[in-house]
Amino acid sequence: YHHALHDRFTDARDLLLMSHLQENIYDVGDITTMILFNRMMAQLGMCAFRQGKIWECHQCLTEVCSGKVRELLAQGVSLGRFSDKTPEQEKAEKRRQVPYYQHINLDLLEACHLISAMLLEVPNMAAASMGGDAAHGRRARPISRAFRKHQDIYAHQVFTGPPEQTRDYVMRAAKALSKGDWKSCVDLCTDLDVWNLVPGDGSAEAIKMMLASKIKLEGLRTYMFAFSAQYDSLSLDQLCGMFEMSKNDVHSVVSKMMINRELYASWDQPTATIVLRKVEPSPVQVMALQFAEKASNLVEANERLLDATTGNDQWKGRGGDRGDQNDENRFGNRGGRGGYQQGGYQNRGNKQSGGRHQKRDGGNRGRGQGRGGRGRGRKSGGGRGGQRRDNKRY
């Protein structure tokens, strides 16, 4: 928290990663420790934003700003009519509130979160809307679900007046950025009054300059995603004039897009132009990509359901490789143990029927299936037990 206040993001991040607190915070029973962790993550995210680390800022603020921010930071109490809290719980929650002079400005926190989400999500949405992800073999997954929800609400409004709150400014800036109008986006983002709350001489001006450079860069990527299909070639000088960037910066951004296969194009060095190539997937390839995405989602949902049923929460990132190996051994040997038990049960059933040879044979089949995993005698109880487990999992 102290390092983040003084713009030492690297030191604060290293301390957090060495403590492994982000992995075990959900198991801590102390609510005060959770509140301190939330406040530390909020300060760490704003520190990353001040230094221009947009991805790190979004990763730090995405969980804190996705729910009830006041309660998570202990800066307010929700007094709803249908609250299920007892009077003792309400009194304890009020005692945990931090004093007013330690409050983190919620408008500044929301501005940092939404602007970082806008700079990441708008190019992603532009690439997905123009079919770029299907053409390049990637699946377009939302980076910030909270930002998409706010944008859908803003887009479905019947009448949108002039922006008043921080969220309205960012939503209108995102709409302008998606159309390639980066100048309007810069004006809307830099006109926010919350930047004057950042401590330090010249901090507000430094943030505005950083925002202008980041918006230009993401505006160029969004323009290339959205309108590259309308061009056969683009001049480097024309892009530099449109986005007021140097030739080296434009060349670097476009080359990165080519290397990452986000843009199918090539440079023509003598004429300093970008030659765009039309690469569209066949209908069979599109269907194969859709099938692969649905299959991966189904497998992931079944894995989560199995972990929730068995009480093994490996999705929280705990345990590492050792936990995964133990889970694999446990689930892999379950069919063997089931075969041994079911084989014994079959012995008892054969004993009741009066056949001694069948009893010995059934027991051997059960033990063979239990000790050897998938061995001989698939008709025994072990084979049936393993089959039931596979059907339940997949």
Side-chain angles (χ1 to χ4, degrees):
Y1 190 91
H2 177 73
H3 286 309
L5 280 176
H6 294 276
D7 290 341
R8 294 191 290 268
F9 174 78
T10 306
D11 297 337
R13 181 199 60 191
D14 293 343
L15 283 176
L16 175 63
L17 295 178
M18 285 189 295
S19 66
H20 297 282
L21 186 60
Q22 72 278 4
E23 300 175 1
N24 304 321
I25 190 62
Y26 298 103
D27 298 331
V28 177
D30 188 14
I31 301 180
T32 306
T33 306
M34 295 183 180
I35 292 173
L36 291 176
F37 177 80
N38 294 334
R39 295 177 63 83
M40 179 270 300
M41 291 299 293
Q43 287 290 353
L44 191 62
M46 290 193 293
C47 174
F49 184 83
R50 291 193 295 268
Q51 295 186 359
K53 302 179 184 297
I54 302 301
W55 176 260
E56 289 83 355
C57 171
H58 180 262
Q59 292 296 106
C60 292
L61 298 181
T62 183
E63 291 187 3
V64 178
C65 297
S66 59
K68 302 177 181 179
V69 186
R70 294 181 182 273
E71 293 184 357
L72 293 176
L73 299 179
Q75 296 184 183
V77 182
S78 62
L79 300 176
R81 291 183 56 187
F82 303 101
S83 178
D84 55 351
K85 297 178 182 178
T86 61
E88 289 77 10
Q89 292 177 347
E90 293 181 357
K91 291 180 181 179
E93 188 174 358
K94 289 180 180 179
R95 286 194 296 266
R96 286 192 294 266
Q97 300 300 307
V98 297
Y100 181 75
Y101 66 90
Q102 293 183 355
H103 279 199
I104 299 173
N105 189 272
L106 298 182
D107 288 338
L108 180 60
L109 187 66
E110 186 181 21
C112 295
H113 173 243
L114 290 179
I115 289 178
S116 62
M118 176 191 71
L119 293 176
L120 295 174
E121 191 65 54
V122 171
N124 186 34
M125 294 171 63
S129 63
M130 297 305 294
D133 290 331
H136 306 138
R138 296 186 296 114
R139 291 174 297 176
R141 290 190 176 182
I143 300 175
S144 176
R145 297 183 183 275
F147 178 80
R148 289 205 176 191
K149 183 183 70 174
H150 294 324
Q151 194 175 30
D152 291 341
I153 294 174
Y154 184 81
H156 286 87
Q157 289 181 356
V158 179
F159 173 74
T160 55
E164 297 178 357
Q165 300 178 356
T166 303
R167 185 182 302 172
D168 298 336
Y169 275 94
V170 178
M171 291 300 109
R172 177 164 288 193
K175 187 176 181 180
L177 183 62
S178 62
K179 296 179 180 179
D181 188 6
W182 63 271
K183 292 184 179 180
S184 300
C185 182
V186 169
D187 294 337
L188 289 169
C189 291
T190 55
D191 286 344
L192 293 174
D193 296 333
V194 294
W195 307 129
N196 298 324
L197 302 176
V198 179
D201 296 335
S203 298
E205 296 299 327
I207 289 178
K208 291 178 182 179
M209 292 177 61
M210 181 271 297
L211 282 177
S213 62
K214 294 291 182 181
I215 290 173
K216 287 179 185 179
L217 190 146
E218 299 300 332
L220 174 60
R221 294 184 70 243
T222 305
Y223 185 83
M224 296 300 294
F225 278 133
F227 303 107
S228 61
Q230 314 299 327
Y231 293 94
D232 291 329
S233 62
L234 278 169
S235 173
L236 180 62
D237 296 331
Q238 182 182 1
L239 290 177
C240 293
M242 289 175 60
F243 294 94
E244 298 181 3
M245 297 172 64
S246 63
K247 291 185 178 181
N248 292 333
D249 294 338
V250 175
H251 193 281
S252 174
V253 172
V254 177
S255 298
K256 284 181 181 179
M257 295 177 67
M258 294 178 186
I259 293 172
N260 296 331
R261 294 193 176 185
E262 297 174 342
L263 181 69
Y264 271 156
S266 59
W267 282 102
D268 188 10
Q269 297 294 340
T271 59
T273 57
I274 306 169
V275 180
L276 299 168
R277 307 181 186 279
K278 303 295 188 296
V279 179
E280 297 181 358
S282 63
V284 178
Q285 292 175 341
V286 173
M287 294 175 65
L289 290 172
Q290 294 176 356
F291 177 75
E293 182 177 2
K294 290 181 180 179
S296 64
N297 292 335
L298 180 61
V299 171
E300 184 178 353
N302 286 340
E303 292 285 346
R304 290 180 182 272
L305 179 61
L306 179 64
D307 292 334
T309 305
T310 58
N312 177 30
D313 260 346
Q314 64 179 0
W315 293 98
K316 287 186 179 180
R318 295 177 296 170
D321 297 335
R322 183 178 178 183
D324 296 339
Q325 185 177 3
N326 293 335
D327 296 339
E328 184 178 358
N329 293 336
R330 188 186 310 136
F331 293 141
N333 294 332
R334 186 189 294 176
R337 291 196 298 271
Y340 185 83
Q341 294 170 2
Q342 293 289 343
Y345 180 76
Q346 189 173 358
N347 292 342
R348 290 193 295 272
N350 292 331
K351 184 177 180 180
Q352 293 176 2
S353 63
R356 184 173 14 177
H357 180 70
Q358 293 179 356
K359 169 185 174 182
R360 188 181 300 115
D361 189 23
N364 291 333
R365 284 201 302 267
R367 292 190 187 92
Q369 181 67 16
R371 294 174 183 172
R374 293 179 181 174
R376 210 184 64 185
R378 202 172 270 276
K379 295 182 180 179
S380 64
R384 289 195 296 270
Q387 186 177 3
R388 282 198 300 271
R389 179 181 65 83
D390 292 340
N391 289 335
K392 180 180 179 182
R393 185 171 184 180
Y394 297 105

